[in-house]
Amino acid sequence: MSKQVISTPVIRRLPRYYRFLGDLEHEKVERISSRELALRMGLSASQIRQDFNCFGGFGQQGYGYHVKELREIIGGILGVREKTGVILIGAGNLGKAIAAHVDFQKCGCSLIGIFDSDPLLAGTSTAGIPIMPMETLDSFCRQHKPSVAVLCIPKEAAQTLVEILISYGIGGFWNFSHFDLRVNNPDVIVENVHLGDSLMTLAFCMHQE
Amino acid sequence: MSKQVISTPVIRRLPRYYRFLGDLEHEKVERISSRELALRMGLSASQIRQDFNCFGGFGQQGYGYHVKELREIIGGILGVREKTGVILIGAGNLGKAIAAHVDFQKCGCSLIGIFDSDPLLAGTSTAGIPIMPMETLDSFCRQHKPSVAVLCIPKEAAQTLVEILISYGIGGFWNFSHFDLRVNNPDVIVENVHLGDSLMTLAFCMHQE
DNA sequence: TAGATTGTTAATCGATTAACAATC
DNA sequence: TAGATTGTTAATCGATTAACAATC
């Protein structure tokens, strides 16, 4: 295994490769060349070959890439066969929708608990996952050792909660709060999702030109 | 007005600048230097000055940038004072959450209608917006001329619907369906959001090192 | 074998960073 | 005026593209 550091642009393209290869497999396509895949994905063939070769030579000269095999390899790289424990904090509109809509399984994750400070929600469940009161977070984490927390809480509540969650052993945050979470600890990974930024970008591009 | 083309990385940073400047204004900070802003945002001062100078010189030598003024300028560039008409298709879990959770107003948009093919949903409403049957989409678009459609529908339904929506005058798609929407028409802008990709990226980064 | 397509190196392009003169 | 910080040009860095030898 090469210990080479993978650049961010490459990392961000991996899930997309994985998705497109899934579609191809679904369409019963057995082999594909970098040229064809590039055409489909709106990339260049060179780039695709460069990307794959960050991890090793998965193709065969004169043939291309075996779709099923390549998909499995990239799946392995992305760790989709793992069962990373995930908890979700904040069972409001967005929290519930994410719990129900995102296929955690497919992403190598397993949503094992939802927490909310509203006592009225405790005892109910969403997407088959029980909603628990915040008081039980500590003991739950000690018992089940989730490594990722999805944050669907208001901005104000987030920063302090994050420190606590890190002390509970959380090593990754998928942050939907309306602020940019920044953590000093280099072992903690943060993925900020700003839907508003995405919509603004769309609006800007429409008014350009 | 410079007709210079703005690069994608710069465009993607604009909403973030806008957000951070909003926070600063909230904290009653009147002026800020590129150096201080860089520190807060995890960028370099050079980059910030380069970015702003794509649009014009908004700062003042020896002083820095006036927070409120700069925020308004960037807001103007992003078009947050516009009222771009938006419709949302698919009032499932995710559709409802987006309708309720995303602040369209703040993004220069106005969510004016939700459509769903399920006749049971017709007549109900989410986030104060009425849910209407797909049959009324045509006449609604002719009357209200929305320019953006949010797609919260299954992959299978999406591609054909998109063609129809374009014929109804939709020029921008905010696509949450599980597929990459690609449109040939250069006047149509697409912003694909893949929450699964984002989660996979987080998981990958956690297992790296 | 001939044709196709990879893996990989070299060339190009674009974005970020550094430097500094202009100026408030 | 002196100090600070911008706007802007030049240097660097990294990512993408092009080219081609290796090889299935």
Side-chain angles (χ1 to χ4, degrees), chain B residues 12-80:
Chain B
R12 298 252 158 224
R13 280 193 292 270
L14 288 178
R16 206 157 161 261
Y17 286 129
Y18 185 68
R19 230 169 351 98
F20 273 81
L21 289 166
D23 292 348
L24 284 164
E25 203 179 327
H26 199 85
E27 292 170 29
K28 309 254 184 284
V29 177
E30 271 196 14
R31 61 164 282 274
I32 195 157
S33 66
S34 55
R35 206 184 122 275
E36 284 176 274
L37 187 58
L39 210 66
R40 277 209 177 217
M41 296 185 64
L43 301 172
S44 79
S46 261
Q47 186 171 45
I48 288 178
R49 294 203 299 276
Q50 291 270 28
D51 282 358
F52 292 168
N53 281 92
C54 292
F55 303 97
F58 307 139
Q60 195 174 312
Q61 279 100 329
Y63 174 84
Y65 298 88
H66 187 79
V67 172
K68 187 158 183 285
E69 187 186 301
L70 181 60
R71 177 161 183 275
E72 273 164 18
I73 290 170
I74 294 181
I77 291 165
L78 287 168
V80 297

Side-chain angles (χ1 to χ4, degrees), chain B residues 139-154:
Chain B
S139 67
F140 185 94
C141 289
R142 241 176 297 152
Q143 195 181 343
H144 299 284
K145 306 210 184 313
S147 46
V148 170
V150 187
L151 303 180
C152 300
I153 50 180

Side-chain angles (χ1 to χ4, degrees), chain A residues 93-114:
Chain A
N93 264 313
L94 187 69
K96 280 181 186 161
I98 287 168
H101 180 264
V102 173
D103 194 331
F104 285 88
Q105 208 77 25
K106 248 191 202 156
C107 299
C109 294
S110 176
L111 182 60
I112 55 175
I114 302 177

Side-chain angles (χ1 to χ4, degrees), chain B:
Chain B
M1 268 289 132
S2 64
K3 268 282 97 162
Q4 174 199 10
V5 174
I6 309 302
S7 74
T8 315
V10 176
I11 295 175
R12 298 252 158 224
R13 280 193 292 270
L14 288 178
R16 206 157 161 261
Y17 286 129
Y18 185 68
R19 230 169 351 98
F20 273 81
L21 289 166
D23 292 348
L24 284 164
E25 203 179 327
H26 199 85
E27 292 170 29
K28 309 254 184 284
V29 177
E30 271 196 14
R31 61 164 282 274
I32 195 157
S33 66
S34 55
R35 206 184 122 275
E36 284 176 274
L37 187 58
L39 210 66
R40 277 209 177 217
M41 296 185 64
L43 301 172
S44 79
S46 261
Q47 186 171 45
I48 288 178
R49 294 203 299 276
Q50 291 270 28
D51 282 358
F52 292 168
N53 281 92
C54 292
F55 303 97
F58 307 139
Q60 195 174 312
Q61 279 100 329
Y63 174 84
Y65 298 88
H66 187 79
V67 172
K68 187 158 183 285
E69 187 186 301
L70 181 60
R71 177 161 183 275
E72 273 164 18
I73 290 170
I74 294 181
I77 291 165
L78 287 168
V80 297
R81 285 183 291 279
E82 322 242 334
K83 285 237 177 315
T84 304
V86 177
I87 54 173
L88 187 151
I89 322 280
N93 264 313
L94 188 68
K96 279 180 187 162
I98 287 168
H101 180 265
V102 172
D103 194 331
F104 286 88
Q105 208 77 24
K106 249 191 202 156
C107 299
C109 294
S110 177
L111 181 61
I112 55 176
I114 302 178
F115 294 86
D116 198 288
S117 56
D118 183 350
L120 287 177
L121 286 169
T124 68
S125 73
T126 297
I129 318 289
I131 301 179
M132 293 166 277
M134 290 299 277
E135 289 73 34
T136 61
L137 188 56
D138 185 5
S139 67
F140 185 94
C141 289
R142 241 176 297 152
Q143 195 181 343
H144 299 284
K145 306 210 184 313
S147 46
V148 170
V150 187
L151 303 180
C152 300
I153 50 180
K155 194 176 174 155
E156 296 72 33
Q159 194 67 62
T160 44
L161 183 61
V162 165
E163 305 301 330
I164 295 170
L165 286 165
I166 292 175
S167 79
Y168 291 172
I170 296 291
F173 291 92
W174 200 23
N175 176 39
F176 288 83
S177 307
H178 288 303
F179 85 116
D180 274 35
L181 179 56
R182 306 228 292 140
V183 173
N184 280 331
N185 193 327
D187 294 335
V188 176
I189 310 288
V190 173
E191 172 86 2
N192 290 305
V193 181
H194 286 286
L195 295 180
D197 286 13
S198 168
L199 178 58
M200 280 191 197
T201 304
L202 171 64
F204 175 83
C205 291
M206 287 180 67
H207 294 301
Q208 279 248 100
E209 203 70 345

